[in-house]
Amino acid sequence: MERRLTAELDDIDQLMVLGQAINVVVYAEEGREGLEAHIEAIGSEFETEADRAELMPFMNELELGLFPVVTRSGGLPAGMNVHGDFNLSADQGSIAAAVVNGPVTLDGGRVDIGGATPAPAKVEGHLTVTLRIPLDLRINVRLKGGDITTHGVPEGNARLRTDAGTVTRHQA
């Protein structure tokens, strides 16, 4: 699946890209006035996310958030318990159980979360976003996984971070 998103950048001076397990390629181009995002997705999980992707303006920032529909968290190691005092309703306890993917015990104001979490399923496919931006646009890319590659982006205009991948910068 392929999608193309575009945006005018009136009053926008920064692009924020947030994602998990995606690859981001950025081309900064002199004379470009707007932003273009080309999204390529293979695999049902990634295709669903690509279909939901949109550019969202907030004050002087434009955000592109790309997160898979299925969360792939590792949870707590076997035998590890987290204890704390909280005021929770039964509904909030249900939410906590879904988030941590492990047993949750509510005893008055005390919550015990722990137990073994099964290994996450391997997800097939990929999601790649290729961005074409003006040379003077600041960009902030934060990924949980995946690679970031920039072409011609001034170093002072880019904050690039991936928790599990590589960052490669190519100057013009």
Side-chain angles (χ1 to χ4, degrees):
M1 163 195 225
E2 292 188 29
R3 277 191 74 202
R4 184 174 163 264
L5 303 174
T6 60
E8 297 299 320
L9 297 174
D10 302 328
D11 301 322
I12 301 291
D13 62 11
Q14 177 169 281
L15 172 65
M16 172 73 84
V17 180
L18 303 171
Q20 179 175 326
I22 69 171
N23 297 309
V24 177
V25 180
V26 183
Y27 292 91
E29 300 171 344
E30 192 169 346
R32 175 174 278 281
E33 294 185 19
L35 175 139
E36 180 181 318
H38 178 260
I39 303 170
E40 178 187 59
I42 295 176
S44 62
E45 175 184 344
F46 297 106
E47 289 173 7
T48 300
E49 187 53 35
D51 192 48
R52 295 181 349 173
E54 60 184 317
L55 293 164
M56 298 167 286
F58 179 73
M59 298 177 68
N60 67 331
E61 185 175 282
L62 191 63
E63 182 176 306
L64 176 60
L66 295 154
F67 290 93
V69 176
V70 177
T71 302
R72 294 178 298 227
S73 64
L76 295 171
M80 180 178 176
N81 290 315
V82 178
H83 303 280
D85 294 320
F86 303 94
N87 292 320
L88 296 174
S89 70
D91 288 341
Q92 289 170 316
S94 297
I95 291 170
V99 170
V100 300
N101 193 21
V104 174
T105 306
L106 299 173
D107 182 14
R110 185 167 188 81
V111 178
D112 290 328
I113 303 170
T117 301
K122 181 170 172 56
V123 178
E124 298 295 327
H126 76 270
L127 181 62
T128 300
V129 179
T130 302
L131 300 163
R132 297 191 177 280
I133 65 172
L135 190 61
D136 62 345
L137 183 69
R138 291 183 298 128
I139 184 165
N140 188 346
V141 181
R142 297 183 67 192
L143 305 178
K144 288 293 182 188
D147 299 328
I148 304 169
T149 305
T150 64
H151 298 271
V153 177
E155 194 166 331
N157 285 3
R159 294 179 63 197
L160 312 170
R161 189 181 110 206
T162 179
D163 292 343
T166 60
V167 175
T168 307
R169 297 175 188 253
H170 300 281
Q171 295 305 315

